[in-house]
Amino acid sequence: MSSELHTDIAIIGAGPAGIAAAIAACAQGAHVTLVDDNPRPGGQIWRGGPSQAPASASSTFRQLADSQARLLSGFRVAAIPAPGQLLLEDPHRAQVLRYGKLIIASGARERLLPFPGWTLPGVTGAGGLQALVKGGLDVRDQHIVLAGTGPLLLASAATLRAAGAQVLLIAEQAPWSQLARFGWALKAYPAKLAQAASLAWQLGGVPYHHASHVLAALGQTRLEGVQLQLGARTLTLPCDWLGVGYGLLPNTELLRALHCQISQGAAEVDALMQTSQAGIYAVGEATGIGGVDKALLEGRIAGLAATGAAAAAQALAPKRKRQLAFAALLDKHFALQPAITQLAQPDTLVCRCEDVSHASLQLFDSWREAKLQTRCGMGACQGRICGAACESLYGWQGSGDRPPLLPTRLGSLLEPTLAKANPT
Ligand SMILES: Cc1cc2nc3c(=O)[nH]c(=O)nc-3n(C[C@H](O)[C@H](O)[C@H](O)COP(=O)(O)OP(=O)(O)OC[C@H]3O[C@@H](n4cnc5c(N)ncnc54)[C@H](O)[C@@H]3O)c2cc1C
């Protein structure tokens, strides 16, 4: 039995950006379908859904619940069968969604870079560990080290500490001079400054080291400890978990598959959040890393613009300019230091899905050549992790996306043909 859904506006991603877009578009009377691969709406920051969201998010969730938006949780976009159509898949079934306009709010993922021992069980992304804890992982009394770069390290540490973990230290790769400049620039953003102060309060007593990074994760079959470069000295520390994340990267696979222009790793959009493809909008982290306030604002602009309320959308442009300036600050002050891309040893795996080592990748000049010869990027993650690593380590551009967007069941790929044969 095949099934096909129709909607005026399809929104992919039910994080802050997608939710804000849905609320704005519904308020204009449009029929909206919000699709997200997680079991609950909320995206990365409000991963637990309405029941676990902070007070600051409750009004957003209430407005979503009061709207007429159709929420398809647990569905991911697997492929694009034809213009104006998306193939959705959940663990049990597939459906074709036909849309008039499309808003892509696909968020971001962590940049994970290889270092010796990074594939040991017990080593995760810093935000990834936070997500596991939000999903129910018990870290009470566990000893945890966090490393990498950016404010997400602090947000993750606060979540872990609140869950009963002992956060031993945070190693931030940015030098003190950059952190001080970032802190000074935050004066222009009182809400962000207050958020930073609140995190600092929650993390009182946790050592925060600048110009510091992980050298190696240690252990035989599981993580037992970590070797760190802390400024000029090295330190070996036993621990149960190590979370390492080098900032965030926009999720652009769907945008690229729809031939939307990508610039510096993010979707290119105009003042109304429209991409280079008419009727396709991009919002939130997908247009550049800037945090929850930027995501909410851009979602609102796109929801208005996609429903014809261009003047109301345009009126929000000055606010967006301010959010973009904050995004630029993040980008500038947490830029990667060269040492971070030189940690992999010859036997360190760079593509962990297909077991491809740093030494074997160094033999090639391009992503395509390496992919053809080693299967790098052809495993379950489809280059989502190693693609970014190869770009940082070897300067290779583009991980050569191919449909489907994610590993997909064969039966699901037949769905568009069935839907055509049995229209609803
Ligand atoms: C692991 C992680 C943890 C984070 N934790 C915090 C935090 O604690 N505090 C903070 O201020 N910021 C955090 N951030 C930053 C966060 O990205 C932003 O603050 C904010 O959530 C961005 O909103 P968004 O709507 O643009 O994207 P997101 O919140 O990332 O939402 C995008 C949604 O789209 C879904 N999606 C993507 N592709 C598809 C597809 N093909 N099919 C279906 N669904 C899809 C994703 O699963 C996700 O639910 C975190 C980021 C990451 C990556």
Side-chain angles (χ1 to χ4, degrees):
M1 181 73 179
S2 86
S3 55
E4 194 174 85
L5 301 171
H6 297 248
T7 194
D8 296 337
I9 299 187
I11 302 175
I12 308 308
I19 293 177
I23 294 168
C26 282
Q28 297 295 316
H31 183 274
V32 172
T33 302
L34 185 55
V35 181
D36 194 286
D37 50 6
N38 284 309
R40 284 174 293 268
Q44 296 291 0
I45 183 168
W46 306 323
R47 176 169 278 274
S51 63
Q52 291 174 36
S56 55
S58 55
S59 139
T60 305
F61 276 115
R62 203 172 321 114
Q63 289 177 64
L64 177 66
D66 292 345
S67 77
Q68 299 293 315
R70 169 170 57 191
L71 180 60
L72 297 179
S73 292
F75 277 95
R76 57 191 194 159
V77 178
I80 301 156
Q85 297 181 24
L86 297 172
L87 175 65
L88 310 181
E89 186 191 66
D90 81 352
H92 312 289
R93 66 210 140 120
Q95 291 192 313
V96 173
L97 175 65
R98 284 178 182 267
Y99 61 84
K101 290 192 174 156
L102 177 62
I103 300 177
I104 300 178
S106 48
R109 58 173 170 274
E110 278 186 284
R111 172 159 47 192
L112 305 177
L113 296 174
F115 56 86
W118 77 300
T119 53
L120 276 174
V123 183
T124 70
L129 187 52
Q130 183 201 42
L132 287 171
V133 169
K134 286 182 183 175
L137 177 73
D138 185 358
V139 287
R140 274 174 299 173
D141 301 324
Q142 299 275 294
H143 295 90
I144 298 180
V145 170
L146 292 176
T149 201
L152 182 55
L153 294 183
L154 303 180
S156 300
T159 304
L160 298 171
R161 206 177 200 201
Q166 293 192 33
V167 181
L168 300 181
L169 65 80
I170 301 171
E172 162 62 62
Q173 59 95 43
W176 173 245
S177 55
Q178 294 286 54
L179 297 173
R181 282 191 202 109
F182 180 71
W184 183 254
L186 276 189
K187 276 196 319 168
Y189 300 89
K192 306 271 184 205
L193 195 59
Q195 203 183 353
S198 157
L199 284 171
W201 169 256
Q202 292 169 61
L203 294 173
V206 175
Y208 182 76
H209 296 266
H210 53 87
S212 300
H213 57 264
V214 169
L215 291 170
L218 311 171
Q220 291 304 314
T221 55
R222 195 193 185 285
L223 179 75
E224 292 165 15
V226 55
Q227 192 186 15
L228 295 148
Q229 183 76 48
L230 300 181
R233 69 186 170 109
T234 57
L235 174 75
T236 300
L237 204 60
C239 62
D240 303 303
W241 291 93
L242 169 63
V244 189
Y246 289 103
L248 302 177
L249 298 169
N251 288 325
T252 55
E253 291 76 17
L254 179 55
L255 287 150
R256 289 202 301 262
L258 288 159
H259 309 292
C260 300
Q261 194 68 39
I262 303 293
S263 169
Q264 296 181 337
E268 241 181 56
V269 286
D270 63 17
L272 297 180
M273 307 311 300
Q274 188 164 232
T275 66
S276 58
Q277 298 291 332
I280 302 181
Y281 300 77
V283 291
E285 305 289 55
T287 69
I289 306 307
V292 62
D293 297 331
K294 170 178 168 291
L296 286 166
L297 183 68
E298 291 190 349
R300 203 168 144 213
I301 295 174
L304 290 167
T307 47
Q314 197 83 54
L316 296 170
K319 284 191 176 169
R320 179 164 178 256
K321 214 168 155 193
R322 200 171 140 70
Q323 292 302 330
L324 292 182
F326 177 71
L329 280 181
L330 281 176
D331 199 41
K332 180 174 165 190
H333 294 99
F334 294 98
L336 277 194
Q337 300 297 306
I340 305 304
T341 57
Q342 289 153 22
L343 297 172
Q345 298 300 305
D347 62 347
T348 305
L349 295 181
V350 175
C351 171
R352 53 195 298 170
C353 299
E354 295 290 329
D355 287 352
V356 187
S357 70
H358 182 42
S360 45
L361 288 171
Q362 282 177 305
L363 300 173
F364 302 102
D365 293 326
S366 73
W367 174 262
R368 184 176 160 74
E369 217 184 306
K371 190 170 178 178
L372 286 172
Q373 301 290 333
T374 67
R375 291 190 52 80
C376 179
M378 293 174 77
C381 92
Q382 292 284 291
R384 281 172 171 74
I385 293 173
C386 58
C390 286
E391 189 175 334
S392 296
L393 267 63
Y394 317 121
W396 299 343
Q397 296 293 320
S399 52
D401 306 300
R402 286 233 211 131
L405 295 166
L406 294 155
T408 303
R409 291 188 302 272
L410 274 177
S412 300
L413 296 174
L414 286 175
E415 183 59 30
T417 316
L418 294 173
K420 218 169 168 181
N422 307 300
T424 48

